[in-house]
């Protein structure tokens, strides 16, 4: 697949310092984050939900619901949808990843079966985007306003756990 370049904001020195300062990349799972992702998956009827942290090269799962827990918790940053959110600082809502021009060439479509994706920034107390709170569906779907309200609230709760 032809990957688009990773947005420069992903590799911004202040953002990377904030990611390093929280000392969560590579840390053990925490029930506080897992509760939030389980709730998102259950309420939204999505098979996958994640809290990710993104450094300059990798996306890392702080929480992963629905994905094998014995798999590698790290992925190349350009191969996951998280870099779109980290790069813009805004939510990304995708109803059909294969037909959306923003994501159609993303490797996660094939590697993880991503068909629909909805993600919000996870921020530190100063507002730096550290990663994402997201849900994934393996079939295309329309994310409702209610779905988006739930995700916005849960992403803010995840940010509060930082």
């Amino acid at each position: 697949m032809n990957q688009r370049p990773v947005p420069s904001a992903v590799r911004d020195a202040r953002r990377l310092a904030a990611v390093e300062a929280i000392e969560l990349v590579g840390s053990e799972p925490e029930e506080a984050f897992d509760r939030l992702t389980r709730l998102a998956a259950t309420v939204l009827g999505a098979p996958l939900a994640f809290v990710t942290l993104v450094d300059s090269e990798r996306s890392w799962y702080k929480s992963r619901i629905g994905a094998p827990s014995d798999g590698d918790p790290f992925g190349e940053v350009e191969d996951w949808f998280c870099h779109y959110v980290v790069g813009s600082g805004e939510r990304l809502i995708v109803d059909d990843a294969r037909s959306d021009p923003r994501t159609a060439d993303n490797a996660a479509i094939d590697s993880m079966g991503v068909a629909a994706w909805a993600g919000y920034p996870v921020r530190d107390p100063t507002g730096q985007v550290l990663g994402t709170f997201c849900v994934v569906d393996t079939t295309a779907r329309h994310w409702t306003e209610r779905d988006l309200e739930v995700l916005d609230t849960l992403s803010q709760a995840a940010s509060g756990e930082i």
Side-chain angles (χ1 to χ4, degrees):
M1 297 203 151
N2 288 326
Q3 289 291 317
R4 290 184 182 95
V6 174
S8 61
V10 170
R11 295 191 172 104
D12 177 79
R14 289 175 305 205
R15 193 193 76 74
L16 293 172
V19 170
E20 188 174 322
I22 62 168
E23 298 181 337
L24 289 177
V25 173
S27 66
E28 293 297 316
E30 293 180 46
E31 183 58 26
F33 293 105
D34 289 346
R35 258 193 314 272
L36 295 170
T37 52
R38 275 195 309 271
L39 182 60
T42 300
V43 169
L44 301 178
L48 303 161
F50 303 93
V51 172
T52 64
L53 300 170
V54 178
D55 66 19
S56 65
E57 303 298 324
R58 306 166 300 170
S59 292
W60 180 75
Y61 305 131
K62 178 61 181 162
S63 176
R64 56 181 160 177
I65 300 302
S69 61
D70 59 347
D72 187 357
F74 292 97
E76 298 296 318
V77 71
E78 61 271 5
D79 291 343
W80 306 107
F81 283 47
C82 304
H83 77 271
Y84 304 114
V85 173
V86 173
S88 70
E90 301 293 328
R91 73 182 192 182
L92 176 69
I93 310 303
V94 178
D95 292 345
D96 185 348
R98 289 188 189 280
S99 67
D100 191 305
R102 299 169 297 179
T103 60
D105 61 354
N106 190 284
I109 292 170
D110 292 327
S111 67
M112 277 188 80
V114 175
W117 195 91
Y120 282 75
V122 171
R123 299 177 186 276
D124 76 357
T126 70
Q128 288 290 335
V129 178
L130 306 172
T132 64
F133 187 95
C134 65
V135 293
V136 175
D137 209 325
T138 53
T139 59
R141 71 182 275 176
H142 172 70
W143 301 101
T144 67
E145 284 304 313
R146 179 186 169 275
D147 295 341
L148 301 181
E149 287 177 26
V150 167
L151 283 170
D152 184 37
T153 300
L154 293 175
S155 71
Q156 290 179 47
S159 293
E161 291 297 326
I162 300 296

